[in-house]
C-alpha cells in the first residue's frame, strides 16, 4: 500500500494534476508491485463511495484544491467498505410505483418509461464488512427486481 500511495502521489505531482483524480492500478500476482494502467484526471465513477468512506464533500474538496487549498484527507475507518451498483432495466417498463428502498439513489419518478438496458437507479451502501456490503446490495437488488415484476411492461 505504501508503494501504491507514494507512486500515486509522485505521478499526480509529475502530471501537475489538482483536485479529484483517479489512478487505475493492478498489482502483480505476488502482491508486491503496483502497475499504473490509466490516469483519469476527472471525477471517478466511484465518487459517491469515496464520499461515504471519507465522510467529506468531494466536490467541495475538489474546488478548494483547484483554488490552491488542500484539505486534510481523513483516514478511512478500519473495516469500512462501500459498493456502487447500477441497476439496468431488463425490458422496456413504465414505473408504477415510487421506489423507496434504503441506499438507493438516482431514482426515476413514478410513471417514467425506461427503455430496455437503460440505467434505472444506483445502489450505494457503506457497511462494516465486505459480506455485509454484498448482502445489503443483494437485498436491494432483490427488492428492485420484485418491483420490476410489478411494473407495467411497455411495447
Amino acid at each position: 500500500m505504501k508503494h501504491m500511495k507514494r507512486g500515486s502521489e509522485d505521478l499526480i505531482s509529475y502530471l501537475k494534476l489538482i483536485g479529484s483524480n483517479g489512478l487505475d492500478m493492478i498489482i502483480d500476482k505476488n502482491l508486491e508491485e503496483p502497475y499504473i494502467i490509466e490516469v483519469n484526471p476527472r471525477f471517478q465513477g466511484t465518487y459517491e463511495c469515496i464520499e461515504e468512506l471519507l465522510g467529506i464533500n468531494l466536490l467541495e474538496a475538489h474546488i478548494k484544491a483547484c483554488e490552491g487549498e488542500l484539505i486534510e484527507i481523513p483516514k478511512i475507518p478500519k473495516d469500512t467498505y462501500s459498493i456502487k451498483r447500477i441497476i439496468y432495466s431488463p425490458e422496456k417498463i413504465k414505473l408504477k410505483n415510487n421506489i423507496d428502498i434504503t441506499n438507493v439513489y438516482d431514482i426515476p419518478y413514478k410513471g417514467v418509461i425506461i427503455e430496455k438496458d437503460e440505467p434505472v437507479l444506483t445502489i450505494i451502501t457503506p457497511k462494516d464488512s465486505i459480506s455485509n456490503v454484498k448482502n445489503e446490495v443483494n437485498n436491494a437488488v432483490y427488492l428492485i427486481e420484485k418491483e420490476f415484476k410489478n411494473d407495467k411492461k411497455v411495447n
Side-chain angles (χ1 to χ4, degrees):
M1 289 300 286
K2 287 180 187 178
H3 294 296
M4 290 173 66
K5 185 176 187 305
R6 184 68 187 150
S8 298
E9 290 169 349
D10 288 347
L11 184 60
I12 287 168
S13 177
Y14 175 77
L15 295 173
K16 297 180 173 66
L17 301 176
I18 57 173
S20 181
N21 300 280
L23 300 176
D24 294 348
M25 297 184 194
I26 56 173
I27 301 173
D28 71 6
K29 63 183 174 184
N30 298 322
L31 300 177
E32 295 175 3
E33 190 76 31
Y35 297 93
I36 296 171
I37 58 173
E38 186 174 67
V39 177
N40 298 302
R42 57 169 169 73
F43 286 113
Q44 301 75 45
T46 53
Y47 179 92
E48 300 95 335
C49 294
I50 295 166
E51 285 191 325
E52 286 282 345
L53 293 173
L54 295 178
I56 63 172
N57 180 321
L58 200 53
L59 178 60
E60 184 178 290
H62 176 78
I63 291 169
K64 284 181 178 181
C66 291
E67 293 173 340
E69 179 187 346
L70 298 180
I71 68 162
E72 182 70 30
I73 298 174
K75 285 194 174 264
I76 296 173
K78 187 176 170 67
D79 297 324
T80 304
Y81 305 88
S82 185
I83 289 179
K84 175 181 177 178
R85 181 166 175 191
I86 300 170
I87 304 299
Y88 295 85
S89 181
E91 55 200 351
K92 185 175 181 177
I93 58 171
K94 181 175 182 179
L95 290 182
K96 251 180 21 180
N97 301 307
N98 289 323
I99 297 172
D100 185 22
I101 301 170
T102 305
N103 297 322
V104 174
Y105 304 88
D106 306 324
I107 301 169
Y109 291 103
K110 176 181 173 180
V112 167
I113 294 175
I114 302 170
E115 298 291 333
K116 181 182 187 323
D117 298 327
E118 281 189 352
V120 179
L121 48 79
T122 306
I123 303 167
I124 301 168
T125 180
K127 285 291 176 188
D128 57 358
S129 75
I130 297 272
S131 62
N132 285 345
V133 169
K134 288 179 181 177
N135 288 339
E136 184 85 16
V137 169
N138 289 337
N139 183 49
V141 169
Y142 169 77
L143 293 172
I144 291 161
E145 287 175 347
K146 186 175 164 185
E147 194 64 41
F148 282 160
K149 290 177 184 169
N150 294 329
D151 288 332
K152 184 179 179 185
K153 294 175 188 154
V154 178
N155 294 326

